[in-house]
Amino acid sequence: RDQPRSRGLGDVYKRQVFLWEIADKLGVSEPTLNRWLRKEMPDSQKAKFYSAIEQVKLEHQAETAND
């Protein structure tokens, strides 16, 4: 493939965040998020994507702290 892909997927796996969780935060379906990840996202969309990852990550940490 010659088209650049969004590099966010590696970050998702490293942080153990599920794509459906990110999609939920962004208000889109998981298939839509998967389509976004096929190509390089615009910077504004990428910022929202990474923000959603951080939000989910913080939620996971809060859940762990409450256990």
Side-chain angles (χ1 to χ4, degrees):
R1 287 191 163 138
D2 294 333
Q3 296 179 354
R5 291 183 179 193
S6 293
R7 306 214 187 280
L9 206 50
D11 292 331
V12 171
Y13 291 124
K14 286 181 203 171
R15 294 182 171 131
Q16 297 180 337
V17 174
F18 294 103
L19 289 179
W20 67 264
E21 293 174 302
I22 299 166
D24 187 57
K25 286 289 175 200
L26 294 171
V28 299
S29 68
E30 188 176 351
T32 296
L33 182 57
N34 277 312
R35 281 193 299 277
W36 289 359
L37 291 169
R38 290 181 193 154
K39 297 181 181 176
E40 190 67 28
M41 287 187 261
D43 288 340
S44 61
Q45 193 174 21
K46 206 180 300 185
K48 291 176 187 175
F49 176 76
Y50 285 114
S51 176
I53 292 172
E54 291 304 316
Q55 288 175 24
V56 172
K57 185 178 159 187
L58 289 172
E59 289 174 6
H60 286 197
Q61 288 173 350
E63 290 171 5
T64 304
N66 291 333
D67 288 343

